Amino acid sequence: MPGHRSGLSWPESVRTGLAGLDTTELASTDDLHQPTGPALAAMELAAQCFGAGKTWFLTNGSTGGILTILAGLVGRGRTVILPRTCHLAVSHAMALLDIQPVWLEFPQSVPPDPLGFLPVVSVTMVAEAIQLHPDSAAVFLTSPDYYGRCADLTAISHVVHQAGLLLLVDEAHGSHFAAAPGLFPKTALASGADACVQSAHKTLPALTQGGYLHLAESLLGREPLAAGRMTAALKIFQTSSPSFAIAASLDFARAYLETEGQEQAQKTLASIEDLATTLWPDYLVSPAAANPVRGEFRDPLRIVIRSRNPLARPATELARELSRQGIDIELSDLTRLVLIPSLDQPSHDFERLRQALRIGLADSPGAQPGYTTMLQHLEQSWLDLLVQAPECVLAPGDALLGQQETAWIPLADSANTVVAQSIAPYPPGIPLLLPGERMDRPRLDLLLALRNNGINLSGVDHDSIRVVV
Ligand SMILES: Cc1ncc(COP(=O)(O)O)c(C=O)c1O
């Protein structure tokens, strides 16, 4: 990230002309909040390209889009069915909008997938939750996740719509899916979602913070007022001076996807397959893993790498070493590396990655007996806690924004406190504790162990956290 590779994916004219695109609302430009001219035309082209009934440009990422969708389509105080494995932005939206969560129940203690740490929501889980809570307003899901794993949105949208609910999707990591329908999983909209957000800046050549918010044509048919509510919500959650430079890059990203996306995707996917073949048997690389017959869907552009040899150090350390060699890893958890190549990533970059991984392997200190088992055990505890439905002592909104006193205390001394803000290993940014949850001993031990193994903790500042006193 960002998907424009320091501007290398852009033509020279865009690279050098960027400052000229940074304008405000003028007669010759348009108004991004009330577009009637070129901005409207650009958003209409995007709607056509992504198969939406209506599209808005987001200039503060999917974060702003998630707040907007939940405010515009769900509204205050209503119930939403969702997994606890959503991005931080969702818990903030819940707190601000006083949304009542119905947590989807994952099977307990499933071993982590070698190439995707986060659990995937199944249609059965959604059907069971709807049966118990038929009055909910919507089902909110993330697909694909950080590891590129996707839910079976087609089957899920069928169940959701039969019950008369809305299906809202955080497709932050999937804006490139529309580039090559045969090569990538079906988009959320093509699978029947009513609305979705996409962080174009993650996988398309758009400026950081650039994203799309799409409403399905079918939703606009059923609820013609939905577009107006979305525009009103966007005025709340997006700056009153949305950046035209970001908007222009979103227009460029759409045009790029339409004209070059398929061809570039083919080339890059071939490079990834080649990488997987040549790194075997030392490393397992993601494309090998998806099995559509078993109902598994995976983004083939997302590279997840895991060593097959006993580990001598956490993947975070290997990531730091690769970064010293000029290869920026998007995410490293305890045992996996996750990389986001751009659609036009040149093949020599894959060669550099291959060589760096080989050097990393050769330089790796000998594994201590039991070290891999220790990391796997830690990972299992992390996953076990992530799939447990949160039990909030205080409502997230009250803990985050209420009047009660809070204090910063050392993380190490926080056992049995109630946290006042989300604490999330980042990336992937999935809160291990939501505001209002109790810091019990297993969660505290896990956070300390993750920190000691090089995982960054969002919500922990100088080793301290904010708790309710
Ligand atoms: C699944 C998911 N949703 C939403 C977001 C927020 O996206 P943005 O950075 O575009 O605001 C992220 C960011 O990493 C994410 O991983």
Side-chain angles (χ1 to χ4, degrees):
M1 288 189 219
H4 56 71
R5 301 193 293 118
S6 308
L8 290 173
S9 307
W10 291 331
E12 186 62 25
S13 56
V14 175
R15 238 177 293 159
T16 49
L18 204 53
L21 298 173
D22 189 22
T23 168
T24 183
E25 294 85 7
L26 303 170
S28 57
T29 55
D30 201 350
D31 182 339
L32 284 165
H33 275 299
Q34 278 159 308
T36 52
L40 180 63
M43 293 188 211
E44 285 176 352
L45 285 171
Q48 252 171 45
C49 167
F50 291 96
K54 190 154 174 62
T55 293
W56 288 261
F57 286 170
L58 297 170
T59 62
N60 61 338
S62 289
T63 300
I66 287 168
L67 287 155
T68 304
I69 276 199
L70 287 169
L73 294 183
V74 173
R76 278 185 65 77
R78 300 188 62 206
T79 302
V80 173
I81 297 173
L82 75 173
R84 81 163 289 160
T85 48
C86 286
H87 185 261
L88 270 176
V90 180
S91 54
H92 294 155
M94 279 170 28
L96 283 171
L97 298 167
D98 199 20
I99 284 176
Q100 306 304 313
V102 167
W103 302 108
L104 285 164
E105 282 197 28
F106 288 104
Q108 297 296 308
S109 214
V110 173
D113 180 291
L115 293 177
F117 172 62
L118 297 170
V120 177
V121 169
S122 70
V123 65
T124 316
M125 286 165 60
V126 174
E128 283 171 3
I130 294 179
Q131 209 170 20
L132 291 174
H133 302 273
D135 295 334
S136 308
V139 172
F140 185 99
L141 299 179
T142 304
S143 182
D145 66 18
Y146 231 113
Y147 296 82
R149 297 210 298 163
C150 304
D152 184 354
L153 291 179
T154 305
I156 291 175
S157 78
H158 190 64
V159 168
V160 171
H161 290 145
Q162 262 190 339
L165 275 58
L166 294 177
L167 177 61
L168 315 177
V169 179
D170 173 354
E171 201 177 33
H173 290 268
S175 38
H176 57 291
F177 284 4
L183 296 177
F184 295 125
K186 258 204 285 184
T187 65
L189 287 176
S191 307
D194 294 290
C196 69
V197 292
Q198 299 173 328
S199 297
H201 66 93
K202 293 191 196 296
T203 56
L204 292 178
L207 281 174
T208 298
Q209 295 188 210
Y212 303 111
L213 189 167
H214 304 295
L215 285 195
E217 183 88 61
S218 54
L219 175 72
L220 293 173
R222 289 196 317 274
E223 291 194 36
L225 299 182
R229 291 208 306 270
M230 203 60 68
T231 304
L234 208 55
K235 282 210 166 92
I236 302 172
F237 294 113
Q238 190 140 274
T239 163
S240 56
S241 312
S243 157
F244 275 89
I246 294 177
S249 78
L250 288 167
D251 188 37
F252 175 82
R254 184 271 314 153
Y256 173 88
L257 182 146
E258 282 179 328
T259 53
E260 294 181 51
Q262 166 117 13
E263 191 189 328
Q264 296 290 358
Q266 270 163 346
K267 274 195 216 148
T268 304
L269 294 184
S271 297
I272 297 175
E273 257 180 65
D274 192 40
L275 181 78
T277 313
T278 48
L279 285 177
W280 182 266
D282 291 321
Y283 293 96
L284 185 60
V285 180
S286 54
N291 182 349
V293 180
R294 285 209 312 262
E296 293 171 0
F297 304 91
R298 177 186 282 282
D299 172 10
L301 194 69
R302 188 58 51 107
I303 305 178
V304 186
I305 299 179
R306 186 180 164 125
S307 167
R308 295 186 67 247
N309 300 314
L311 296 168
R313 52 190 172 163
T316 42
E317 278 186 30
L318 178 57
R320 268 197 287 279
E321 195 176 299
L322 293 178
S323 160
R324 281 194 286 275
Q325 295 180 46
I327 297 174
D328 291 317
I329 304 297
E330 173 57 32
L331 174 161
S332 55
D333 59 26
L334 294 171
T335 58
R336 307 169 194 77
L337 301 175
V338 179
L339 293 96
I340 310 185
S342 295
L343 282 172
D344 65 341
Q345 200 78 41
S347 56
H348 59 80
D349 284 350
F350 292 94
E351 187 46 41
R352 278 205 310 135
L353 173 62
R354 185 179 2 259
Q355 277 170 13
L357 283 167
R358 289 253 170 261
I359 295 168
L361 197 66
D363 287 354
S364 176
Q368 303 288 321
Y371 188 74
T372 308
T373 318
M374 186 281 287
L375 284 184
Q376 284 169 344
H377 181 72
L378 201 53
E379 209 168 69
Q380 185 71 59
S381 335
W382 185 1
L383 188 62
D384 288 350
L385 291 175
L386 266 188
V387 297
Q388 278 175 22
E391 284 176 24
C392 288
V393 182
L394 273 178
D398 291 342
L400 191 65
L401 305 166
Q403 296 303 310
Q404 74 285 337
E405 251 185 81
T406 61
W408 286 89
I409 63 164
L411 173 66
D413 300 340
S414 66
N416 285 322
T417 56
V418 174
V419 302
Q421 63 191 59
S422 300
I423 300 183
Y426 207 108
I430 312 289
L432 190 65
L433 288 118
L434 293 176
E437 267 193 276
R438 192 176 290 287
M439 176 73 83
D440 56 13
R441 198 70 235 182
R443 281 177 175 76
L444 179 55
D445 288 345
L446 176 69
L447 286 170
L448 294 171
L450 291 180
R451 191 193 54 182
N452 292 342
N453 280 287
I455 306 264
N456 189 30
L457 301 176
S458 162
V460 179
D461 196 355
H462 292 84
D463 281 340
S464 294
I465 63 167
R466 198 162 70 90
V467 299
V468 176
V469 290

